Amino acid sequence: MEYRCVQCGFRIKTLFVQYSPGNIRLMKCVNCKAVADEYIECELMIVLIDLILHKPKAYRHVLFNVLNHERTHFQGLLWKSLVGFLVLDAYRSLLVKKPEEEWGTSMSISSIFWIYRKMLMDVFLGNYMFLCSFLFAIRSLLKTSAQFSRFGSFHLQ
Protein backbone atom coordinates (compact mmCIF):
# COMPACT_ATOMS: atom_id res chain seq x y z
CA MET A 1 0.00 0.00 0.00
CA GLU A 2 1.29 3.44 -0.88
CA TYR A 3 0.78 6.24 1.61
CA ARG A 4 0.67 10.03 1.28
CA CYS A 5 2.11 12.91 3.26
CA VAL A 6 -0.69 14.78 5.03
CA GLN A 7 1.15 18.08 4.61
CA CYS A 8 1.71 18.15 0.83
CA GLY A 9 0.09 14.97 -0.53
CA PHE A 10 3.38 13.54 -1.85
CA ARG A 11 3.52 9.73 -2.16
CA ILE A 12 5.70 7.92 0.38
CA LYS A 13 6.46 4.25 0.97
CA THR A 14 6.02 4.01 4.72
CA LEU A 15 4.71 6.23 7.50
CA PHE A 16 6.82 4.93 10.38
CA VAL A 17 9.57 2.52 11.36
CA GLN A 18 8.86 0.24 14.30
CA TYR A 19 11.91 -0.62 16.40
CA SER A 20 10.06 -2.55 19.09
CA PRO A 21 6.43 -2.81 20.25
CA GLY A 22 5.42 0.70 21.28
CA ASN A 23 8.64 2.26 19.98
CA ILE A 24 8.15 3.85 16.57
CA ARG A 25 9.81 6.62 14.59
CA LEU A 26 7.66 8.72 12.28
CA MET A 27 9.05 9.15 8.78
CA LYS A 28 9.60 12.52 7.14
CA CYS A 29 8.37 13.45 3.69
CA VAL A 30 11.12 13.84 1.12
CA ASN A 31 9.20 16.65 -0.59
CA CYS A 32 8.29 19.02 2.28
CA LYS A 33 10.65 17.64 4.98
CA ALA A 34 7.80 17.55 7.55
CA VAL A 35 6.51 14.52 9.46
CA ALA A 36 4.53 12.55 6.88
CA ASP A 37 1.52 11.70 9.09
CA GLU A 38 1.41 12.90 12.68
CA TYR A 39 -2.14 11.53 13.08
CA ILE A 40 -0.71 8.02 13.52
CA GLU A 41 0.00 8.83 17.17
CA CYS A 42 -3.33 10.63 17.77
CA GLU A 43 -6.42 9.18 19.34
CA LEU A 44 -9.48 8.61 17.15
CA MET A 45 -11.34 11.44 18.90
CA ILE A 46 -8.65 13.97 17.87
CA VAL A 47 -8.89 12.82 14.26
CA LEU A 48 -12.69 13.04 14.43
CA ILE A 49 -12.56 16.60 15.82
CA ASP A 50 -10.16 17.63 13.06
CA LEU A 51 -12.48 16.08 10.48
CA ILE A 52 -15.38 18.09 11.89
CA LEU A 53 -13.19 21.21 11.68
CA HIS A 54 -12.51 20.33 8.00
CA LYS A 55 -8.75 20.18 8.30
CA PRO A 56 -7.24 18.89 5.02
CA LYS A 57 -4.53 16.98 6.90
CA ALA A 58 -7.15 14.90 8.73
CA TYR A 59 -8.95 14.12 5.48
CA ARG A 60 -5.69 13.08 3.81
CA HIS A 61 -4.89 10.87 6.80
CA VAL A 62 -8.24 9.08 6.65
CA LEU A 63 -8.61 8.83 2.87
CA PHE A 64 -5.04 7.91 1.92
CA ASN A 65 -3.41 6.41 5.00
CA VAL A 66 -6.22 4.64 6.87
CA LEU A 67 -8.62 3.34 4.23
CA ASN A 68 -7.28 0.52 2.13
CA HIS A 69 -8.64 1.09 -1.38
CA GLU A 70 -7.95 -2.49 -2.46
CA ARG A 71 -10.06 -4.02 0.32
CA THR A 72 -12.85 -1.43 0.47
CA HIS A 73 -15.59 -1.99 -2.10
CA PHE A 74 -16.64 1.59 -2.77
CA GLN A 75 -18.89 0.76 -5.70
CA GLY A 76 -21.03 -1.67 -3.67
CA LEU A 77 -21.18 0.84 -0.84
CA LEU A 78 -22.22 3.56 -3.29
CA TRP A 79 -25.12 1.50 -4.67
CA LYS A 80 -26.33 0.55 -1.19
CA SER A 81 -26.17 4.19 -0.09
CA LEU A 82 -28.06 5.27 -3.21
CA VAL A 83 -30.89 2.79 -2.64
CA GLY A 84 -31.11 3.72 1.04
CA PHE A 85 -31.18 7.42 0.22
CA LEU A 86 -33.93 6.98 -2.38
CA VAL A 87 -36.10 4.88 -0.05
CA LEU A 88 -35.70 7.36 2.81
CA ASP A 89 -36.37 10.29 0.49
CA ALA A 90 -39.52 8.59 -0.81
CA TYR A 91 -40.68 7.99 2.76
CA ARG A 92 -40.00 11.64 3.66
CA SER A 93 -41.81 12.81 0.54
CA LEU A 94 -44.75 10.56 1.35
CA LEU A 95 -45.05 11.94 4.88
CA VAL A 96 -44.77 15.56 3.74
CA LYS A 97 -47.26 15.34 0.86
CA LYS A 98 -49.90 13.10 2.40
CA PRO A 99 -51.95 14.62 5.22
CA GLU A 100 -53.32 12.24 7.83
CA GLU A 101 -56.97 12.65 6.87
CA GLU A 102 -56.38 11.06 3.47
CA TRP A 103 -55.10 7.86 5.05
CA GLY A 104 -58.17 5.84 5.79
CA THR A 105 -59.09 2.23 6.29
CA SER A 106 -61.08 2.20 3.05
CA MET A 107 -57.97 2.44 0.86
CA SER A 108 -57.42 -0.56 -1.38
CA ILE A 109 -54.12 -2.24 -2.10
CA SER A 110 -54.07 -0.86 -5.63
CA SER A 111 -54.51 2.74 -4.43
CA ILE A 112 -51.69 2.30 -1.88
CA PHE A 113 -49.51 0.78 -4.61
CA TRP A 114 -50.36 3.71 -6.92
CA ILE A 115 -49.43 6.27 -4.20
CA TYR A 116 -46.09 4.56 -3.52
CA ARG A 117 -45.34 4.29 -7.22
CA LYS A 118 -46.10 7.98 -7.72
CA MET A 119 -43.89 8.90 -4.75
CA LEU A 120 -40.98 6.80 -6.01
CA MET A 121 -41.27 8.33 -9.48
CA ASP A 122 -41.32 11.82 -7.97
CA VAL A 123 -38.24 11.04 -5.93
CA PHE A 124 -36.34 9.46 -8.84
CA LEU A 125 -37.25 12.28 -11.19
CA GLY A 126 -36.49 15.00 -8.64
CA ASN A 127 -33.10 13.56 -7.75
CA TYR A 128 -32.28 12.98 -11.42
CA MET A 129 -33.09 16.59 -12.28
CA PHE A 130 -31.02 17.81 -9.31
CA LEU A 131 -28.05 15.69 -10.36
CA CYS A 132 -28.28 16.86 -14.00
CA SER A 133 -28.42 20.52 -13.00
CA PHE A 134 -25.55 20.03 -10.52
CA LEU A 135 -23.35 18.32 -13.12
CA PHE A 136 -24.21 21.00 -15.70
CA ALA A 137 -23.22 23.74 -13.24
CA ILE A 138 -19.94 21.98 -12.39
CA ARG A 139 -19.17 21.48 -16.08
CA SER A 140 -19.81 25.12 -16.90
CA LEU A 141 -17.71 26.27 -13.93
CA LEU A 142 -14.83 24.05 -14.97
CA LYS A 143 -15.07 25.30 -18.54
CA THR A 144 -15.07 28.90 -17.31
CA SER A 145 -12.08 28.31 -15.05
CA ALA A 146 -10.20 26.60 -17.90
CA GLN A 147 -10.83 29.61 -20.14
CA PHE A 148 -9.76 31.95 -17.35
CA SER A 149 -6.53 30.04 -16.73
CA ARG A 150 -5.73 30.16 -20.45
CA PHE A 151 -5.69 33.96 -20.39
CA GLY A 152 -3.60 34.11 -17.26
CA SER A 153 -4.43 34.79 -13.67
CA PHE A 154 -4.55 38.07 -11.89
CA HIS A 155 -2.69 38.54 -8.65
CA LEU A 156 -3.85 41.03 -6.05
CA GLN A 157 -1.11 42.57 -3.96
Side-chain angles (χ1 to χ4, degrees):
M1 184 172 162
E2 199 166 82
Y3 301 103
R4 299 239 181 164
C5 173
V6 297
Q7 304 286 335
C8 65
F10 192 75
R11 293 177 190 257
I12 56 174
K13 292 180 183 175
T14 183
L15 296 173
F16 61 91
V17 175
Q18 184 171 6
Y19 296 113
S20 64
N23 186 10
I24 64 170
R25 179 175 171 253
L26 298 178
M27 300 301 291
K28 292 190 177 189
C29 175
V30 294
N31 188 37
C32 66
K33 306 293 188 236
V35 173
D37 191 354
E38 68 266 10
Y39 284 104
I40 292 173
E41 296 180 324
C42 293
E43 294 287 327
L44 181 63
M45 189 57 70
I46 302 294
V47 176
L48 185 64
I49 290 170
D50 284 352
L51 287 172
I52 291 170
L53 293 173
H54 297 295
K55 292 191 176 182
K57 290 192 241 180
Y59 281 104
R60 284 189 193 118
H61 167 73
V62 171
L63 292 174
F64 295 117
N65 299 338
V66 173
L67 292 178
N68 189 348
H69 298 289
E70 288 84 29
R71 287 188 295 159
T72 309
H73 303 289
F74 287 110
Q75 192 170 14
L77 182 63
L78 179 69
W79 284 111
K80 289 175 187 175
S81 299
L82 178 70
V83 169
F85 169 75
L86 290 174
V87 167
L88 289 174
D89 196 25
Y91 181 69
R92 180 205 51 87
S93 179
L94 183 68
L95 289 178
V96 168
K97 290 185 179 181
K98 266 321 217 184
E100 271 188 49
E101 63 259 9
E102 292 185 24
W103 290 98
T105 56
S106 63
M107 291 183 70
S108 66
I109 298 293
S110 63
S111 64
I112 292 173
F113 178 73
W114 180 258
I115 291 170
Y116 284 130
R117 191 174 123 196
K118 184 177 178 299
M119 280 303 146
L120 282 175
M121 286 306 295
D122 286 347
V123 166
F124 279 119
L125 200 59
N127 285 309
Y128 179 74
M129 292 303 293
F130 170 75
L131 186 62
C132 286
S133 61
F134 182 73
L135 291 176
F136 177 73
I138 292 294
R139 186 176 177 188
S140 64
L141 283 173
L142 288 175
K143 188 184 290 185
T144 304
S145 68
Q147 288 174 351
F148 180 69
S149 66
R150 207 175 337 146
F151 294 117
S153 60
F154 299 101
H155 298 286
L156 298 175
Q157 293 184 11

